[in-house]
Amino acid sequence: GWVRVVDTGRLAQSPADFGEAWIGHRGRVTALAWCPTRPLLASAAADSTIRLWNSETHALVARLDRHWGKVFALTFSPDGQCLASGSDDTTIRIWDSDGGDDLTQLRGHEGYVYSLAFSPDGSMLVSGSGGGTVRVRDTRPVHERWTARAAGGEGARLAPRGSTDVQ
């Protein structure tokens, strides 16, 4: 797989106008995320890897390969210091975006992790899975705050951790 960055400020007239392809993944690219604080782009793929790219030089900065399943979700923390990734191995990993160190692994979803988002202040991370759950975790320190579980396709509501009052 490859990543192509397009200058949206100008109209593309030919394939060359779509920019240089950044080649590195062995599977199709499944997720992308820009770092909000510096020129860093994260790409994830069906080859179970994440790559960090310098978006100005197009150089590969790091290859992250601790997931054993396809990576479907990526998001940077608002301060740009951490990258969260979600996979079909049902885990979330938090990475140091400077060097790519694997900081922690979060478990709890029963299905593939398809979506991730940090709160605007970075104090919480929310994740959604194919198992019908949404989990909200505090990030300082990391622990689960809320879980929502879809019941019969009728939607879900949030309940405190440990509560059995989820419908």
Side-chain angles (χ1 to χ4, degrees):
W2 47 268
V3 174
R4 190 176 300 264
V5 176
V6 177
D7 180 355
T8 59
R10 62 186 194 131
L11 183 63
Q13 301 294 322
S14 72
D17 291 337
F18 286 107
E20 169 189 352
W22 304 352
I23 300 171
H25 290 290
R26 290 186 311 262
R28 74 176 179 267
V29 174
T30 55
L32 297 164
W34 286 105
C35 181
T37 59
R38 56 200 157 121
L40 191 63
L41 176 69
S43 61
D47 64 5
S48 304
T49 68
I50 300 160
R51 294 178 190 264
L52 299 179
W53 306 87
N54 180 309
S55 62
E56 291 176 345
T57 66
H58 308 176
L60 181 64
V61 175
R63 181 179 184 270
L64 316 177
D65 60 2
R66 298 291 304 255
H67 282 292
W68 59 262
K70 296 173 187 171
V71 180
F72 290 113
L74 293 172
T75 188
F76 279 95
S77 60
D79 65 5
Q81 296 303 304
C82 295
L83 173 70
S85 60
S87 170
D88 72 359
D89 63 13
T90 73
T91 67
I92 299 164
R93 291 191 178 268
I94 309 294
W95 311 86
D96 173 12
S97 64
D98 284 330
D101 293 332
D102 186 1
L103 301 176
T104 192
Q105 176 179 279
L106 305 174
R107 297 182 178 274
H109 281 294
E110 296 169 7
Y112 299 178
V113 179
Y114 284 115
S115 55
L116 293 167
F118 279 97
S119 61
D121 67 357
S123 66
M124 291 182 285
L125 176 67
V126 63
S127 57
S129 80
T133 57
V134 173
R135 296 186 181 274
V136 180
R137 293 177 169 95
D138 287 317
T139 60
R140 303 176 194 133
V142 175
H143 71 276
E144 188 170 308
R145 177 183 283 195
W146 299 95
T147 300
R149 187 174 309 274
E154 297 297 319
R157 66 182 170 135
L158 296 178
R161 181 175 171 234
S163 171
T164 58
D165 186 32
V166 179
Q167 297 180 1

